[in-house]
Amino acid sequence: MSCFVQSRWGDCVDDPSESKMREVLAELDVPDPEHPDAWLTHESGWTLSIFSGGSCILSNSAMDTGPQYLEAISRAEALQLWIKLSRGQVQDMQSLPWKDGNAPPISQEELQILKQASAEATLAQQREFFDSLGPEDDTQRCRQPGCSRGAVKFSVLCKPHHFEQTTKQPSPFGH
């Protein structure tokens, strides 16, 4: 075997034909954020991953080289790169304007957007857990010293104290 192609959904083909490469690349047109790429690996250790969004990453773990990336490549360009790699024509590929890393760095604005989305998702999950604890039973007092709230079912603590004990962080939903 001189190379193999791995499709985004796990199919692996040794020494793929050009038509098989096209077929694997065409799968990237179907939206699937969980499986965003397909790759071709040459026996020399070089791997070229093609992503559904139009970027690619070249690396060689055996030589500890890369990763390097290109952005906005077409499927036709991706196919030509895979063909070159399958033939071992790595030097031809290396003449392209590769940039170091897996992807371009994100801006501070994009980072803030991601942090905000993460914080919102975390709070939503915490709210779902907090609400799942159910109502407090006023006939069973919370055993946290100084707390006068009722305990939730299957616990000796009120909702906020049960939340804090379970998650090891303060309840964002009050006491």
Side-chain angles (χ1 to χ4, degrees):
M1 171 192 71
S2 62
C3 69
F4 69 90
V5 68
Q6 179 84 35
S7 79
R8 73 185 314 175
W9 294 305
D11 294 332
C12 186
V13 176
D14 293 339
D15 295 318
S17 64
E18 184 176 327
S19 64
K20 184 61 178 179
M21 290 182 204
R22 281 182 205 277
E23 181 183 315
V24 171
L25 289 169
E27 290 178 358
L28 295 173
D29 294 334
V30 177
D32 186 351
E34 191 174 338
H35 304 98
D37 66 330
W39 59 90
L40 185 133
T41 299
H42 187 264
E43 65 186 353
S44 61
W46 287 99
T47 296
L48 181 64
S49 298
I50 308 295
F51 288 80
S52 57
S55 62
C56 66
I57 298 174
L58 179 66
S59 63
N60 188 323
S61 57
M63 297 172 63
D64 199 25
T65 302
Q68 297 175 305
Y69 69 95
L70 291 175
E71 298 176 274
I73 64 165
S74 68
R75 294 288 183 257
E77 292 168 318
L79 177 63
Q80 291 309 308
L81 289 172
W82 269 4
I83 290 170
K84 285 181 181 186
L85 181 57
S86 71
R87 295 176 181 160
Q89 298 169 339
V90 178
Q91 285 187 323
D92 291 347
M93 295 172 60
Q94 289 176 324
S95 65
L96 296 170
W98 296 96
K99 298 174 187 169
D100 289 337
N102 286 318
I106 62 173
S107 68
Q108 286 299 315
E109 181 180 318
E110 290 171 310
L111 182 60
Q112 284 306 109
I113 290 169
L114 290 172
K115 285 181 177 181
Q116 180 64 32
S118 176
E120 290 171 6
T122 298
L123 187 61
Q125 287 180 326
Q126 290 173 335
R127 172 52 83 179
E128 185 177 336
F129 172 67
F130 188 83
D131 291 346
S132 76
L133 296 174
E136 295 174 349
D137 179 359
D138 290 333
T139 64
Q140 300 289 326
R141 290 284 161 227
C142 175
R143 291 197 187 163
Q144 182 70 28
C147 184
S148 61
R149 297 176 67 135
V152 294
K153 191 173 185 178
F154 305 118
S155 180
V156 296
L157 301 172
C158 64
K159 286 174 86 166
H161 288 122
H162 186 90
F163 178 94
E164 291 173 356
Q165 181 186 43
T166 304
T167 64
K168 307 293 187 234
Q169 54 187 316
S171 171
F173 310 112
H175 282 273

